[in-house]
Amino acid sequence: MKKYFIFGIIFIALITLFVYIENNTFTTFSLLGVNISLPNAVWIAVFLGVFFLFSVIFLGFINLKGSLFQKNIKKDTQTLINNIKNKILFIDQTKEVKILKNINQFVKNNINGLEILPKKIEGFEFLEDIEKLKNGETIEISKYKLKPENPWFILNVKNRLKKEPNYAREVLKKFKNEELKKEAFYIYAQKAPVYEILKYPYDITFDIVKSHINEEGFEKLLEKAKLSPKEEIEIAKELYGKKDPDSELETIKPLKWGYAYMAIKYSHFDLARQIVEENNLKFFEYYLNLPQKDDIDEYIDSQIC
């Protein structure tokens, strides 16, 4: 402001001097019936001076308003910090603010200890959408312009996958996020053809294997499957009796536990011993050494229980 005042005075002086040098004539103006004659340079100085005076008053008012605004903002900020602290500590003591009213309404109505409540407050409408996401619903996420790696974006896609299993194929093709693609895969793989499932680099689980047990290419799934011994035996049980023994044994061959179980089930004890020895399957080794062999299923159930 000080610099503006100095440069303003210099500017008016220079303009007045220029007019005085170029045109030192008099001009008469009538003001309230009185004729006033002054040199043109003086009239220019008067008009510029009046304009300059009003500009100084205006800028002074703006500066004063800005200073008061900054002071109120600083005061509001400290009040908000205290209000947030009190709400977190369950102290029923909150003060009003002059400028940041929307934020203070959020603090007063939406903070309860460490919990943020999804009450509708102007400027914080997005809380309602977040609450929907937490409750398993889907929202129009594009309006928030979130990146695909954003946790709320990911949750929205997961919620949609649960409601729309057919959306899984689109997720696998469209998104690069591995977390989403993996979840979509396990939904997609429940019904997708075996040749489609094998395109993806994800583990083949028990549920996927079981859902394709009667389909062409099932053996390929078994080669890639990551199953526990119990799950391998369950798959062998599902296969048992559906085809001829040799076909079933050939199919279950990639699963060492299932293979051993199937061999025992069909009383191919020599084959079973070979499988057990090659893979160190102590569980079945004890059974094969029993002088009196009960049904293998009864043995498994008694041992597991």
Side-chain angles (χ1 to χ4, degrees):
M1 190 67 180
K2 182 179 179 180
K3 290 181 180 180
Y4 177 79
F5 184 82
I6 294 172
F7 283 118
I9 295 296
I10 294 172
F11 176 76
I12 293 172
L14 290 173
I15 294 297
T16 303
L17 180 61
F18 176 77
V19 173
Y20 177 77
I21 294 171
E22 292 294 323
N23 185 7
N24 193 24
T25 59
F26 281 72
T27 300
T28 301
F29 284 100
S30 179
L31 184 63
L32 300 176
V34 179
N35 292 328
I36 303 175
S37 294
L38 294 171
N40 289 338
V42 176
W43 284 117
I44 290 295
V46 170
F47 289 135
L48 288 178
V50 171
F51 175 79
F52 177 68
L53 179 62
F54 278 109
S55 69
V56 169
I57 294 172
F58 175 76
L59 290 175
F61 173 76
I62 294 297
N63 284 336
L64 178 62
K65 186 177 180 181
S67 297
L68 290 174
F69 180 80
Q70 291 298 326
K71 184 178 179 181
N72 285 331
I73 286 288
K74 188 175 181 180
K75 186 177 180 181
D76 282 3
T77 301
Q78 189 57 51
T79 301
L80 284 170
I81 291 172
N82 291 332
N83 286 348
I84 292 171
K85 181 189 72 174
N86 290 339
K87 292 293 289 184
I88 290 174
L89 296 175
F90 296 104
I91 298 174
D92 189 19
Q93 182 179 346
T94 55
K95 295 181 180 180
E96 295 298 328
V97 296
K98 292 182 178 181
I99 299 173
L100 305 176
K101 294 181 180 179
N102 286 356
I103 300 176
N104 200 38
Q105 281 297 104
F106 167 77
V107 172
K108 291 170 64 178
N109 298 331
N110 292 66
I111 296 179
N112 184 34
L114 291 177
E115 183 181 3
I116 295 179
L117 307 174
K119 294 181 180 178
K120 188 173 183 179
I121 299 292
E122 184 181 353
F124 293 85
E125 294 84 356
F126 64 92
L127 286 175
E128 291 182 297
D129 277 343
I130 290 177
E131 186 68 10
K132 289 179 181 178
L133 289 176
K134 290 170 65 178
N135 289 332
E137 300 180 48
T138 57
I139 63 169
E140 184 54 53
I141 200 76
S142 60
K143 62 184 176 182
Y144 297 116
K145 299 180 180 179
L146 303 177
K147 294 182 179 180
E149 60 269 20
N150 183 281
W152 296 122
F153 185 98
I154 292 172
L155 183 57
N156 193 58
V157 175
K158 287 183 176 181
N159 290 347
R160 185 175 174 185
L161 282 171
K162 291 175 184 176
K163 294 177 179 292
E164 305 174 34
N166 291 335
Y167 181 54
R169 187 175 184 181
E170 183 179 341
V171 172
L172 284 168
K173 290 184 176 181
K174 183 177 178 181
F175 296 103
K176 295 181 180 180
N177 184 287
E178 278 300 310
E179 182 183 355
L180 287 178
K181 290 182 72 172
K182 191 172 183 180
E183 183 152 338
F185 170 76
Y186 290 118
I187 295 173
Y188 175 67
Q190 296 294 322
K191 296 182 179 180
V194 171
Y195 71 89
E196 282 287 337
I197 298 172
L198 294 173
K199 291 180 181 179
Y200 296 95
Y202 303 112
D203 292 341
I204 305 300
T205 63
F206 174 76
D207 290 335
I208 295 173
V209 171
K210 190 174 180 180
S211 64
H212 295 279
I213 201 164
N214 296 317
E215 294 182 20
E216 184 179 352
F218 175 70
E219 297 86 350
K220 296 291 184 181
L221 281 183
L222 293 186
E223 291 175 5
K224 196 178 176 183
K226 301 288 184 181
L227 306 178
S228 67
K230 183 179 179 181
E231 289 172 339
E232 288 190 12
I233 293 170
E234 287 299 316
I235 294 299
K237 287 182 179 180
E238 290 287 333
L239 281 173
Y240 180 73
K242 287 187 167 58
K243 299 179 182 179
D244 63 272
D246 290 341
S247 296
E248 291 178 8
L249 284 167
E250 186 62 29
T251 299
I252 201 68
K253 196 172 182 178
L255 307 182
K256 60 184 180 181
W257 288 89
Y259 191 26
Y261 167 84
M262 187 78 76
I264 294 172
K265 192 71 176 174
Y266 280 116
S267 301
H268 293 336
F269 295 120
D270 290 340
L271 175 61
R273 289 184 188 279
Q274 179 184 340
I275 298 168
V276 168
E277 289 173 3
E278 289 177 352
N279 296 283
N280 195 28
L281 307 182
K282 298 294 184 181
F283 180 81
F284 287 122
E285 184 179 19
Y286 180 78
Y287 173 83
L288 290 172
N289 290 329
L290 291 174
Q292 183 67 35
K293 296 178 178 61
D294 295 327
D295 182 76
I296 184 62
D297 291 321
E298 293 180 5
Y299 171 76
I300 290 172
D301 291 342
S302 66
Q303 294 301 312
I304 292 177
C305 292

